[in-house]
Amino acid sequence: LAGTLVVSAVLAVGFRPSSPGIVAAGDYEFSVFADPTDGLDGADQLVFAPGLGLLVGNERSSNVLRFNSRGDAQILVDSKTGLVDPDGLAFNDGSIYVADDAGRQVLEYAQDGSLIRRLGTGWVSPKGVGVDSRGTLYVADRGLRAVVRIRPGNNQIIASALDGLVTPEQLTFDDRGNLYVTDEAAHT
């Protein structure tokens, strides 16, 4: 998957520069990486997990699919583990983290797809998860209108409606540790 941009939609698609070097608009080749015949029927979030491949949250089927570099799909996590609506995915240090919006839960899975634990309580609508460079997990909860930092034995709201959040959706970190949060209603 190196050098491929994968877009989360009903189809996971790959874009590769058609020539090396500086790339201008329109200089991309388009190829379908996965489609509904692979079991992909509601891709909502994706993350690349070194050693595992591309993980895709598949909300209509209540599962997480794993795609290898050839595009072959396998169900890694399914609803038998309690998963309802995988909206956010993160991978860190061998663990897969899933924000389950409809299930009102945040789950941690092993690389084999087995449930390790449910993280925290009181979730309203967890949409996104991210892990910083120290391995600390963060959750964007749309219903709480907050971003929550999860540490063992201590969940702490670090940003909320008081800070201007309306509907936090997804989050990520840059190389310097800065946290970025998308907010659908605030258009940011």
Side-chain angles (χ1 to χ4, degrees), residues 19-165:
S19 60
I22 298 175
V23 178
D27 287 343
Y28 286 88
E29 297 172 6
F30 171 81
S31 62
V32 174
F33 182 75
D35 63 32
T37 63
D38 296 309
L40 192 62
D41 64 356
D44 197 34
Q45 186 59 232
L46 49 82
V47 66
F48 182 76
L52 284 177
L54 182 68
L55 306 180
V56 180
N58 197 25
E59 70 177 338
R60 289 192 194 114
S61 294
S62 299
N63 62 29
V64 175
L65 296 175
R66 174 186 172 260
F67 290 90
N68 64 23
S69 60
R70 294 180 309 277
D72 301 325
Q74 121 187 41
I75 296 173
L76 182 64
V77 175
D78 63 23
S79 60
K80 294 175 189 162
T81 65
L83 184 63
V84 179
D85 180 13
D87 268 328
L89 294 174
F91 181 81
N92 186 61
D93 199 25
S95 289
I96 302 160
Y97 298 96
V98 181
D100 182 350
D101 179 28
R104 295 183 174 198
Q105 57 189 343
V106 178
L107 306 161
E108 180 181 4
Y109 292 94
Q111 290 185 33
D112 66 1
S114 60
L115 179 64
I116 295 174
R117 63 186 166 153
R118 286 176 172 72
L119 298 163
T121 59
W123 303 111
V124 178
S125 181
K127 300 292 280 183
V129 289
V131 181
D132 70 12
S133 62
R134 295 182 185 142
T136 303
L137 181 68
Y138 293 77
V139 178
D141 190 308
R142 182 181 177 132
L144 290 176
R145 298 174 65 182
V147 173
V148 179
R149 178 174 42 218
I150 298 179
R151 293 184 174 151
N154 179 15
N155 293 355
Q156 177 184 13
I157 293 177
I158 62 163
S160 69
L162 297 174
D163 301 304
L165 287 178

